[in-house]
Amino acid sequence: MPAAPAFRTVQADSAEVAALKGKSNLASVSLGSKIISFTDEFFAEAANMLKDEEAVFLPEEFTDRGKWMDGWETRRHNKNYDWAIVQLGYAGVIYGFDVDTSHFTGNHAPVVSIEGANATEEDVRAGKAQFEEILPKVNMNPGSHHYFVYEAPTKTYTHLRVNNYPDGGIARLRVYGQVVPQTVVTNSDGLVDLAFVGNGGRAVACSNQHFCSPSNLVLPGRGKTMGDGWETRRSRTPNHNDWAILKLGIPGYVEKVEIDTRHFCGNFPPLVTLHGTVSSEDIPADDAKWTEIIAGVPTTADAQHYFDSTGPKDVAFTHVKFTMYPDGGLKRIRINGRPASS
């Protein structure tokens, strides 16, 4: 078996963790991640590890099997160890993990390891997938976040096996990485959402994310609450604006744009613009030239807004910059166009 990739443990307040959280959580239920199989979930379901919300503790909540816990918890006295197989929402390379034991204080998993596989769901369910260790056994503390960062991103994985020695609880598993598209997700009109997370798109910079992250802008669907969009703090400065830069998963020619303010009823942006640029960097340089794709247009509460690009049709953009005047929030942005490679 090959050696696990080199990694290091980092502190929650470190720059490494801030960088990790800028990646996509490949194990997010919002991306379609799910549990394929497990040895045991007597006290609490393994699927809880994939929730987007932070784990909570309800002191008075019990089930017919014992204390209700917001995580995965197996029964006691395992003579071997427990495991759960996670299918990632999208195949991708991994930059690091957060193994979170929040609220598991006398019942946490003492030791955890993680294995990865690149296989079809059918092969995983049939036991034919070849798993390899990507995080060796590491000690867990009660009620804590445990961050592990790789020296270099791993190869591409589709599934993880989380090993829990010998038993106990894990609140959340965050798998920070970059989607590696296996197929291009195409819209019914034949266009491609160039910024969609499933096509490798991601937010790389923003002016402010006080309430929620611009990474949510490229997620599937229209979300569940105002908390799974992007929202900035209220501005008190004249002529203020807030912005977010998205790196397109597929460079291409922008034709149509959708801006969705679902759930944003008293805090949607009154005016927005969209610009594009071409850059070989993750985050374009400060002096990058930005070309207008959509001029200043108004938005309304809790609605999908559709615009045709007024920008050049012969420029394959790599990044777009969305700007709100003066501030506010929205749920999703769809950058629909034609891939440059086609």
Side-chain angles (χ1 to χ4, degrees):
M1 179 180 291
F7 73 96
R8 61 186 183 278
T9 302
V10 295
Q11 298 302 308
D13 58 354
S14 66
E16 291 99 329
V17 168
L20 264 191
K21 291 183 176 180
K23 307 295 183 184
S24 298
N25 175 18
L26 302 178
S28 166
V29 69
S30 291
L31 268 61
S33 188
K34 61 184 180 181
I35 300 295
I36 295 293
S37 56
F38 52 84
T39 52
D40 185 80
E41 53 177 13
F42 185 84
F43 289 109
E45 296 179 359
N48 290 332
M49 290 191 295
L50 313 181
K51 290 180 180 178
D52 294 320
E53 303 83 6
E54 292 297 319
V56 299
F57 184 71
L58 305 178
E60 306 302 323
E61 190 73 18
F62 286 82
T63 73
D64 58 0
R65 293 194 170 189
K67 181 71 187 74
W68 179 88
M69 294 298 293
D70 191 10
W72 172 42
E73 186 180 5
T74 65
R75 71 189 77 204
R76 296 189 186 212
H77 312 309
N78 191 337
K79 292 181 168 47
N80 194 4
Y81 65 95
D82 285 309
W83 53 261
I85 294 179
V86 178
Q87 179 170 301
L88 301 177
Y90 296 98
V93 298
I94 300 171
Y95 286 77
F97 297 102
D98 173 14
V99 183
D100 178 11
T101 60
S102 290
H103 311 299
F104 287 91
T105 53
N107 53 347
H108 70 287
V111 176
V112 166
S113 72
I114 299 176
E115 299 167 90
N118 190 339
T120 65
E121 180 178 345
E122 181 182 13
D123 281 351
V124 173
R125 290 189 181 278
K128 297 178 181 178
Q130 299 296 311
F131 282 88
E132 58 190 21
E133 186 174 75
I134 59 174
L135 185 71
K137 288 182 177 180
V138 285
N139 294 326
M140 296 284 109
N141 294 315
S144 303
H145 289 267
H146 305 81
Y147 293 99
F148 308 102
V149 177
Y150 288 115
E151 299 294 335
T154 69
K155 58 188 181 183
T156 301
Y157 292 105
T158 58
H159 295 78
L160 302 179
R161 181 160 56 205
V162 182
N163 300 312
N164 174 346
Y165 302 94
D167 52 50
I170 300 171
R172 297 287 187 268
L173 174 70
R174 312 293 193 201
V175 181
Y176 295 110
Q178 172 63 37
V179 172
V180 178
Q182 306 300 290
T183 58
V184 174
V185 181
T186 305
N187 301 335
S188 59
D189 59 4
L191 297 179
V192 172
D193 181 354
L194 306 171
F196 179 52
V197 65
N199 288 329
R202 59 193 176 96
V204 293
C206 68
S207 60
N208 183 266
Q209 52 181 347
H210 185 82
F211 292 106
C212 36
S213 169
S215 295
N216 293 329
L217 294 174
V218 297
L219 294 180
R222 299 187 67 202
K224 296 179 295 184
T225 69
M226 195 170 68
D228 57 13
W230 172 45
E231 186 181 4
T232 66
R233 66 167 60 94
R234 296 187 188 215
S235 61
R236 307 299 187 189
T237 305
N239 302 316
H240 180 84
N241 66 74
D242 280 316
W243 52 263
I245 296 175
L246 308 179
K247 182 176 182 180
L248 304 180
I250 305 172
Y253 308 98
V254 179
E255 294 192 8
K256 298 177 181 295
V257 175
E258 175 190 338
I259 297 170
D260 188 358
T261 58
R262 187 184 189 196
H263 297 128
F264 289 89
C265 298
N267 49 354
F268 60 91
L271 193 74
V272 300
T273 62
L274 187 74
H275 293 76
T277 194
V278 178
S279 174
S280 60
E281 304 296 326
D282 262 6
I283 303 175
D286 291 342
D287 60 354
K289 178 183 177 182
W290 292 94
T291 302
E292 184 178 272
I293 297 174
I294 295 176
V297 291
T299 66
T300 58
D302 194 34
Q304 289 168 288
H305 307 76
Y306 300 94
F307 306 101
D308 291 327
S309 168
T310 57
K313 308 301 183 187
D314 58 347
V315 178
F317 293 114
T318 60
H319 297 72
V320 295
K321 182 177 184 179
F322 177 80
T323 306
M324 304 187 291
Y325 300 86
D327 54 39
L330 66 154
K331 183 57 65 74
R332 300 286 185 266
I333 298 177
R334 307 299 184 201
I335 310 296
N336 298 312
R338 295 175 291 110
S341 58
S342 64

